Amino acid sequence: AGSAGDAISQYSEGRGESKSFEWDIHRTSRIAATSIFVMCPLSIAWNFMAESAFPGHNKKAVLGKLLIQLLCMPPMISAQLISISQMEGKTWKESVSKVKQELLETTAVASCYWPFVGMANSKFVHVSNRPAVGSVAGLFWNVYFSGKANAQLITEEVSNVDILRKVTPIDQILASEKNESSLPLIEKDQPGILRRQKSIISM
């Protein structure tokens, strides 16, 4: 499900950019590995934990399992994002930044999708078969999630690197004041724009 979802996601991204589809097999491999070795064990664990805490198919049991699913959602999404980031060769700090960037929005979208899957799964499917049903539902989820997981990380930290931005006339004035504070300030012909003019002493 993870591989198929990522392939569909890549194809959609290629069409959106009006270019020929080029399959990134390494990206698909990372999604597949995360699905098999991270998400499947976690999914099995939370399903059996929920069934143990709220056995049965009555209304109370279904709502209890839904509550556990909602509580497990943020850490499971975080684990998935970190796993993919680590396999991309990112540092731990970059992986944590990725989680901070994507977790809130991804969890909000997941909360509008997975609870309905979980309710149907808990109501009609035996606990041993629920991970398989979840994998089918995961095909559609991974179309969305793959795009989020592979989105470019926005750097939030500011160091000594210059930040590209528009320089305004006020910026120019403030910069000039540091180096030419003793020079007289005069007005240009254009209103609202000031500049400094060096005094030229004729001999």
Side-chain angles (χ1 to χ4, degrees):
S3 301
D6 177 68
I8 296 171
S9 178
Q10 289 191 46
Y11 179 72
S12 300
E13 291 168 9
R15 290 189 62 185
E17 297 175 2
S18 299
K19 62 182 183 181
S20 59
F21 173 61
E22 295 181 2
W23 182 31
D24 185 350
I25 191 171
H26 299 292
R27 168 176 156 174
T28 302
S29 299
R30 291 190 293 267
I31 293 289
T34 299
S35 298
I36 295 170
F37 298 109
V38 178
M39 298 311 294
C40 280
L42 290 176
S43 178
I44 292 171
W46 92 256
N47 271 289
F48 277 94
M49 179 179 66
E51 185 63 30
S52 176
F54 300 96
H57 302 279
N58 56 55
K59 183 178 180 180
K60 180 180 178 180
V62 171
L63 291 177
K65 292 166 189 173
L66 176 60
L67 176 62
I68 291 179
Q69 182 182 31
L70 290 172
L71 292 175
C72 291
M73 201 173 290
M76 289 179 70
I77 292 173
S78 298
Q80 199 170 7
L81 289 169
I82 288 174
S83 173
I84 294 171
S85 295
Q86 289 293 291
M87 284 189 286
E88 288 175 345
K90 291 184 172 63
T91 64
W92 178 256
K93 190 174 182 180
E94 290 172 328
S95 298
V96 172
S97 296
K98 180 68 175 179
V99 172
K100 291 179 180 179
Q101 177 181 313
E102 303 292 354
L103 181 60
L104 184 60
E105 180 183 342
T106 307
T107 302
V109 174
S111 299
C112 297
Y113 176 71
W114 283 111
F116 298 100
V117 175
M119 288 177 67
N121 219 0
S122 299
K123 183 71 174 175
F124 304 110
V125 182
H126 189 270
V127 62
S128 60
N129 296 324
R130 287 172 193 165
V133 175
S135 295
V136 175
L139 168 64
F140 302 99
W141 167 253
N142 279 315
V143 174
Y144 164 79
F145 182 80
S146 177
K148 298 298 292 182
N150 290 281
Q152 185 177 2
L153 178 65
I154 299 174
T155 304
E156 297 177 352
E157 298 176 0
V158 178
S159 58
N160 294 327
V161 180
D162 293 334
I163 300 175
L164 295 178
R165 61 184 178 87
K166 184 177 180 180
V167 179
T168 65
I170 298 300
D171 294 326
Q172 295 174 342
I173 294 171
L174 294 176
S176 65
E177 285 178 351
K178 294 180 181 180
N179 299 322
E180 304 174 9
S181 57
S182 62
L183 298 179
L185 190 65
I186 68 170
E187 218 178 70
K188 261 188 178 182
D189 293 335
Q190 300 177 6
I193 301 178
L194 300 177
R195 69 180 176 85
R196 290 189 176 277
Q197 183 180 42
K198 291 184 178 180
S199 300
I200 301 175
I201 301 176
S202 302
M203 297 299 297

